[in-house]
Amino acid sequence: MQVIIESYQRDRPRNFFECGRRPIDNWYKNNSKKCFDRVEYRVFEAIFPATGRVVGYYALQIGNESMAALPSKPADYTKNYTAFPAVHLAFLGVHRECQRKGVGTALLSDVFDKVYQISEIAGMYALTLQSYDEESTAFYSSLGFEPYSDSKASPKMLMPIRTIRALVEGE
């Protein structure tokens, strides 16, 4: 399914959006406008070109994570850090009717491109996310994300920026 990824537009209808995971649906329907306006998140939407309908979205934040959260500290330059800088993929949802049709892959590809661009102007260690359940954990693991928390059902996961840069530069 071909989609166009665009920056969040306040006037797009959102009440119909349903990915099947209530917290992800509710945040998009009820909180995305105010969080976007307050610049707490940058939100991007996957649009179906024929109708202009939103079929997916993601939201990014910048922050840091405690090195103590990592089960095994990397043996690289971060060994003396107390926290590592990261871009956090706070939300990603694909409308039920469009799941398993390439929309999630298109959204993540755009996430990687945006994170790469950020890494060109600001330092960071990784892209992080909080997996929602075992199914999403398996999906993110298949893409190369690694868990870094003890939770088996919904772990915090990361992909080092070096990996993302190599992926984007290799495209």
Side-chain angles (χ1 to χ4, degrees):
M1 171 177 277
Q2 288 291 104
V3 294
I4 299 167
I5 312 287
E6 296 181 347
S7 185
Y8 187 87
Q9 298 293 316
R10 295 185 97 261
D11 59 343
R12 286 193 180 119
R14 291 177 177 79
N15 288 338
F16 70 88
F17 188 84
E18 188 176 321
C19 73
R21 291 178 170 85
R22 188 176 304 250
I24 295 169
D25 292 340
N26 287 344
W27 185 86
Y28 185 61
K29 292 176 186 179
N30 303 322
N31 296 46
S32 60
K33 279 185 186 177
K34 61 185 161 211
C35 289
F36 183 83
D37 289 346
R38 292 189 301 234
V39 195
E40 291 175 42
Y41 297 84
R42 294 290 84 191
V43 182
F44 298 88
E45 299 167 313
I47 310 300
F48 187 57
T51 63
R53 186 173 181 198
V54 176
V55 294
Y57 82 95
Y58 70 86
L60 295 175
Q61 284 184 310
I62 294 187
N64 62 51
E65 274 288 339
S66 169
M67 290 299 287
L70 296 174
S72 58
K73 285 191 176 185
D76 60 14
Y77 65 93
T78 62
K79 64 183 172 217
N80 295 321
Y81 285 20
T82 57
F84 63 88
V87 173
H88 184 67
L89 177 58
F91 296 94
L92 186 143
V94 175
H95 194 280
R96 279 184 185 204
E97 296 171 2
C98 301
Q99 291 175 0
R100 295 182 175 30
K101 295 182 181 173
V103 175
T105 300
L107 287 165
L108 275 170
S109 179
D110 197 67
V111 168
F112 292 160
D113 288 343
K114 297 278 191 300
V115 170
Y116 180 91
Q117 291 169 13
I118 294 167
S119 78
E120 288 288 298
I121 58 172
M124 74 181 78
Y125 180 70
L127 171 63
T128 62
L129 58 86
Q130 174 88 42
S131 177
Y132 184 76
D133 55 21
E134 290 180 6
E135 182 182 353
S136 62
T137 300
F139 173 71
Y140 290 119
S141 292
S142 75
L143 297 172
F145 283 86
E146 303 167 9
Y148 70 96
S149 68
D150 292 334
S151 172
K152 298 287 187 224
S154 60
K156 292 181 177 181
M157 303 181 83
L158 67 76
M159 180 178 286
I161 189 60
R162 289 179 179 169
T163 303
I164 293 168
R165 290 181 63 83
L167 286 170
V168 172
E169 289 171 356
E171 291 181 349

